[in-house]
Amino acid sequence: RSSYSCCYFVLPCCFFDFHGKYSRRQSKKTQYREYLDFIAQVGFVCGFHVEEDCLRIPSTKRASFIGKSRTYPAAEHALIDKQITQFINCRRTCAVATCDRRVGFNHKSHCGDLCKEADSEPPEDKTETAGTSWMPGFQPREKAEQIRNCASLPRDFVDEVVLNVANLLLNAAPQKSCSDKQGGDMNTWNQGESLSLREVAEHLNKETLKKLKSEYGGLQTLLKNNHQVFEVLNGRVHIRDWRKEKPPSKTKPEVKRRLSAEAFKTRLCWFFIHHPDGCSLPSEACPYAHGTEELR
């Protein structure tokens, strides 16, 4: 609705309507197919030639829609905009009415009556801005969306938090000696203790917490991003023990197994550098480099 020259691409995912969750109306179709048809209908009502495509992505929801051209001339843009308003109002009223299925609600007749009523409404004031004429309180997303998943935080800040949290977990358990720092006995490598996210946060300074609170997920997201070092389960933080990780599946095709075996090490092992007992795995078994000479 922003302009006649506007095009769009949409990858439908969660089942939502304009005013809440999408309500199914056709039992003969799968929920996903019915929802795709609804999204395509929105494009048609908005006056687009709607094209459907299937993306090559690792997801079960891969169907997408593209609107590159209009089905009407530019002179009819105001008329189509009124049609869009009626469609949105129709969907909103139908969504409210279908909440009570005990009254034997008939979607087609109700929606048809409503749309007829909407046809008799006077045209909207064309001097209104898009934000007020489309829907009260509507605010489109900024063109440049700010990344707030801790990925854009300074590397030195992230490294400092990771080291502080790891030392906190290690010092929470009695230190254990390790005769073989490259991969000793399961009982000699110090894995530290587990602490709740709240307990970990209590040991961080205010400036660090303030910076993390401005990110989505905060401390938990930062720790999960550093999965080489930490494991976050049920709100508790653990130091990851790579000896307990499941080995690669033997059912993989031969080509994939060969590629996995020939994979290069591109990152240094955090445990080899920082852990008092070194890495729990020998160099040949660790997916990370034990020293810069192993980096490729």
Side-chain angles (χ1 to χ4, degrees):
R1 301 179 74 178
S2 58
S3 73
Y4 180 78
S5 60
C6 174
C7 302
Y8 77 88
F9 164 88
V10 60
L11 180 64
C13 182
C14 302
F15 305 124
F16 278 91
D17 208 324
F18 295 113
H19 302 277
K21 289 188 177 181
Y22 178 80
S23 298
R24 296 196 62 180
R25 294 182 172 89
Q26 300 180 45
S27 59
K28 293 182 179 180
K29 296 181 181 179
T30 65
Q31 184 181 23
Y32 182 47
R33 184 66 255 176
E34 183 183 345
Y35 188 66
L36 290 177
D37 291 344
F38 162 64
I39 297 299
Q41 181 193 13
V42 173
F44 287 125
V45 170
C46 292
F48 280 93
H49 291 290
V50 181
E51 300 175 69
E52 182 174 347
D53 196 11
C54 189
L55 304 185
R56 288 185 177 181
I57 57 174
S59 172
T60 56
K61 295 178 180 177
R62 300 182 296 165
S64 63
F65 294 102
I66 304 97
K68 294 187 292 184
S69 60
R70 303 277 183 162
T71 59
Y72 60 93
E76 297 179 9
H77 187 61
L79 181 64
I80 298 298
D81 193 73
K82 181 182 178 183
Q83 176 180 305
I84 293 171
T85 301
Q86 295 168 1
F87 180 69
I88 293 174
N89 291 337
C90 178
R91 299 292 308 184
R92 176 174 55 189
T93 306
C94 290
V96 173
T98 50
C99 289
D100 188 359
R101 300 185 181 276
R102 291 173 298 177
V103 297
F105 172 72
N106 185 304
H107 166 69
K108 290 184 178 179
S109 62
H110 185 91
C111 186
D113 293 341
L114 177 72
C115 293
K116 287 177 183 177
E117 291 175 11
D119 287 335
S120 62
E121 293 176 1
E124 295 179 5
D125 183 1
K126 295 180 182 179
T127 61
E128 287 185 305
T129 61
T132 56
S133 64
W134 288 359
M135 188 178 297
F138 173 76
Q139 178 63 44
R141 186 173 61 184
E142 296 292 334
K143 288 184 178 180
E145 192 172 5
Q146 185 180 1
I147 300 174
R148 295 175 60 186
N149 61 352
C150 296
S152 59
L153 289 173
R155 189 68 247 177
D156 56 346
F157 171 80
V158 174
D159 291 342
E160 182 183 355
V161 174
V162 169
L163 190 60
N164 287 341
V165 174
N167 287 332
L168 178 65
L169 298 175
L170 290 171
N171 294 330
Q175 290 291 330
K176 301 172 184 177
S177 61
C178 181
S179 56
D180 183 2
K181 302 212 175 207
Q182 293 301 314
D185 183 2
M186 183 75 83
N187 297 323
T188 60
W189 191 76
N190 181 20
Q191 191 182 355
E193 288 293 316
S194 70
L195 295 175
S196 67
L197 286 165
R198 183 175 182 179
E199 290 171 322
V200 171
E202 289 173 351
H203 287 81
L204 299 177
N205 61 55
K206 292 183 179 180
E207 290 184 7
T208 299
L209 291 175
K210 185 177 180 180
K211 187 174 286 190
L212 289 174
K213 283 182 179 179
S214 64
E215 303 288 320
Y216 295 128
L219 176 62
Q220 180 171 235
T221 298
L222 185 144
L223 297 178
K224 284 187 173 182
N225 287 352
N226 289 271
H227 68 279
Q228 181 194 164
V229 185
F230 301 109
E231 189 175 21
V232 182
L233 295 171
N234 301 320
R236 297 192 69 83
V237 186
H238 310 254
I239 288 180
R240 187 179 294 276
D241 188 346
W242 282 90
R243 296 167 296 181
K244 299 177 183 178
E245 295 297 311
K246 293 181 180 180
S249 174
K250 295 182 180 180
T251 59
K252 285 184 178 180
E254 178 62 29
V255 175
K256 289 190 175 182
R257 285 206 303 270
R258 187 168 66 249
L259 289 174
S260 179
E262 297 171 356
F264 297 141
K265 296 183 178 183
T266 58
R267 292 184 62 185
L268 290 169
C269 176
W270 185 93
F271 296 101
F272 180 81
I273 300 171
H274 298 287
H275 196 285
D277 294 337
C279 181
S280 62
L281 293 175
S283 175
E284 58 271 14
C286 182
Y288 299 94
H290 286 198
T292 53
E293 62 278 3
E294 292 187 13
L295 288 173
R296 294 287 299 276

